[in-house]
Amino acid sequence: MAKSKSRTAFKYFSLVLTTILVVAYLLGCLCIWFSPSKYWILGFMGLAYPYTCILLILTIVFWLIAKPKIALFLALILLVGYKQFVVMIGTNTSKEFNITNHENSLRVATWNIQGFNGVSKNKEAKKLAKLEIERSILKYNPDVVCLQEFNTTNVIGNSADNISLFKKHYPFYFFSADYERKKGNYQSGCIIFSKLPIIATNKIKYPIAESLISADIVRANDTIRIFTTHLQSFKFNKEDYEEIDGLSANDASVLASMSFVRKMKLAFKRRAKQTIIVKKYLQLSPYPTIICGDFNDVPNSNTYHSIKGNMQDAFLQTQLGFGKTFISFAPTLRIDYILYQQQFTVKQFEMVDENLSDHLMLVSDLELK
């Protein structure tokens, strides 16, 4: 009798946990359809999707043994997240990157360089970070380089004139100069460097400080529009990361009162407004178009799906696995992208970890059909 009651209690307990998991999973599935500007909680569920998806698969295995009918029902629910699943994991066998670029391909590199600060705490290492970043980029010899969190000064001859690091190799460039300090002597933002002539540029201001920039590049008889951007980040500081790392399962009730939750909510809302602007200008482009940069959001997000639309993702077309591009916080944070329209074919793609930023550099060879 006692054994029967224990089994019944365990069964109902399992059903309750399964129901909670299903709700969390379905909310994660909804995030691509609803903007977090209104439904910001879905932004959190989108970040959690990889974990709820894995847990749901394990739960299906459990119910397959305990009660196959429930397992079948859960399998149908799993299929609801098909759109999120196919962009979460690359399914191609990665090939070794050929550093020699094919003459018909346009090599594009994008990198959030974290203000040339490097990741080392050593002061001498920090001083060398900008030169190491320059070498790392030039080693791949890209035709176009898009950098986020780039900074420079307009004081000629000053060692902080970081544009001069690349100008001799990339005579054409366009800088957003979103933030200014010291009466304009210090500027930061996104920049596009090009070996090929730039015939037109555009800077589209977001409601909050940063910008979307584009450059029209001429290659042979073709004009290609390159966009780059750095969408709103969570702006976590050292204390936030330490607080997250210190959380245990029993701290979940404290989560809502923490400062980083408020920062995430604000970032979801701001990024949603920026996403609308990016989508609009991508649709207005009259040329074959590439967009790359730091979207600060995962492939399961409304941000990614809205911007990507019918474009192709260089990572998904060439790589295998989750493809983490941000080195802090979680193993599933692919937040940097190279997306391109159907007129292009991707020849190869590489994620380069030089241990010089909290982001990886992305390099891809794209050929115009």
Side-chain angles (χ1 to χ4, degrees):
M1 189 67 143
K3 193 174 181 180
S4 177
K5 286 184 177 180
S6 297
R7 282 184 177 178
T8 303
F10 178 73
K11 177 184 173 182
Y12 283 112
F13 178 70
S14 299
L15 284 170
V16 169
L17 289 181
T18 300
T19 302
I20 293 170
L21 176 60
V22 165
V23 170
Y25 177 80
L26 289 175
L27 286 174
C29 294
L30 286 174
C31 75
I32 68 170
W33 306 107
F34 296 94
S35 172
S37 61
K38 292 182 179 179
Y39 307 98
W40 56 267
I41 191 68
L42 295 181
F44 288 94
M45 303 316 298
L47 286 174
Y49 174 85
Y51 306 101
T52 56
C53 180
I54 292 168
L55 286 173
L56 185 57
I57 292 170
L58 294 174
T59 304
I60 289 171
V61 174
F62 166 78
W63 284 111
L64 200 59
I65 299 167
K67 199 159 187 177
K69 285 185 178 179
I70 294 177
L72 178 61
F73 174 71
L74 294 177
L76 293 174
I77 289 175
L78 184 67
L79 292 176
V80 174
Y82 171 77
K83 276 201 166 188
Q84 284 93 329
F85 190 83
V86 295
V87 298
M88 182 173 68
I89 303 174
T91 56
N92 293 278
T93 304
S94 302
K95 298 177 182 177
E96 186 176 351
F97 191 89
N98 185 357
I99 206 154
T100 303
N101 187 10
H102 192 276
E103 61 179 9
N104 293 327
S105 295
L106 179 75
R107 179 164 291 180
V108 178
T110 182
W111 198 1
N112 181 327
I113 55 172
Q114 199 187 5
F116 292 103
N117 287 320
V119 294
S120 174
K121 295 180 181 179
N122 183 281
K123 289 184 179 180
E124 294 304 314
K126 281 184 177 293
K127 289 179 183 179
L128 294 171
K130 66 170 65 179
L131 296 176
E132 293 296 326
I133 287 171
E134 177 200 19
R135 290 192 195 103
S136 298
I137 293 170
L138 294 181
K139 179 174 68 177
Y140 284 86
N141 193 28
D143 299 300
V144 179
V145 180
C146 300
L147 302 177
Q148 303 85 45
E149 292 193 27
F150 179 91
N151 58 53
T152 189
T153 177
N154 58 12
V155 178
I156 304 300
N158 191 294
S159 60
D161 181 8
N162 294 323
I163 288 178
S164 65
L165 283 172
F166 300 94
K167 198 160 56 173
K168 57 187 175 184
H169 299 283
Y170 298 92
F172 309 98
Y173 63 90
F174 180 56
F175 181 37
S176 67
D178 291 315
Y179 301 98
E180 291 191 349
R181 293 204 304 266
K182 301 176 183 178
K183 297 181 180 179
N185 288 340
Y186 174 90
Q187 299 174 323
S188 65
C190 296
I191 193 165
I192 299 173
F193 287 104
S194 176
K195 289 182 176 181
L196 304 166
I198 294 176
I199 59 169
T201 59
N202 195 14
K203 174 180 174 178
I204 304 101
K205 288 285 290 181
Y206 293 137
I208 305 295
E210 297 174 359
S211 300
L212 168 70
I213 62 173
S214 69
D216 293 346
I217 294 166
V218 176
R219 187 176 186 277
N221 296 319
D222 300 308
T223 302
I224 299 168
R225 181 163 291 178
I226 309 276
F227 286 93
T228 194
T229 191
H230 181 203
L231 300 184
Q232 180 69 41
S233 71
F234 292 129
K235 294 192 180 296
F236 287 158
N237 54 35
K238 183 182 176 183
E239 289 72 24
D240 291 322
Y241 284 117
E242 288 175 351
E243 199 166 17
I244 293 168
D245 290 338
L247 282 175
S248 67
N250 295 326
D251 294 318
S253 61
V254 184
L255 200 61
S257 65
M258 292 183 176
S259 64
F260 63 79
V261 173
R262 291 193 296 273
K263 289 179 180 179
M264 290 176 76
K265 177 181 174 181
L266 180 62
F268 286 135
K269 291 188 172 186
R270 287 181 176 176
R271 206 156 48 233
K273 293 177 182 177
Q274 294 167 355
T275 297
I276 294 169
I277 294 170
V278 175
K279 185 177 179 180
K280 173 187 172 182
Y281 280 90
L282 285 173
Q283 291 173 343
L284 290 173
S285 174
Y287 305 118
T289 300
I290 300 165
I291 181 168
C292 57
D294 178 4
F295 293 2
N296 268 308
D297 224 333
V298 294
N300 314 111
S301 65
N302 179 270
T303 300
Y304 174 85
H305 282 266
S306 296
I307 293 174
K308 180 178 178 292
N310 293 323
M311 299 179 84
Q312 298 294 319
D313 185 329
F315 169 84
L316 293 177
Q317 298 300 313
T318 59
Q319 302 295 297
L320 180 67
F322 282 102
K324 178 179 180 180
T325 67
F326 183 64
I327 65 173
S328 300
F329 190 40
T332 57
L333 291 181
R334 184 165 75 92
I335 61 175
D336 302 87
Y337 304 94
I338 297 177
L339 307 178
Y340 56 91
Q341 287 184 335
Q342 305 283 355
Q343 295 100 315
F344 294 94
T345 301
V346 62
K347 293 299 181 183
Q348 55 179 355
F349 175 87
E350 179 80 328
M351 297 183 294
V352 185
D353 185 2
E354 297 284 18
N355 199 32
L356 293 168
S357 170
D358 52 0
H359 291 253
L360 273 61
M361 174 171 62
L362 309 185
V363 185
S364 186
D365 292 346
L366 301 170
E367 187 175 303
L368 198 56
K369 295 177 184 176

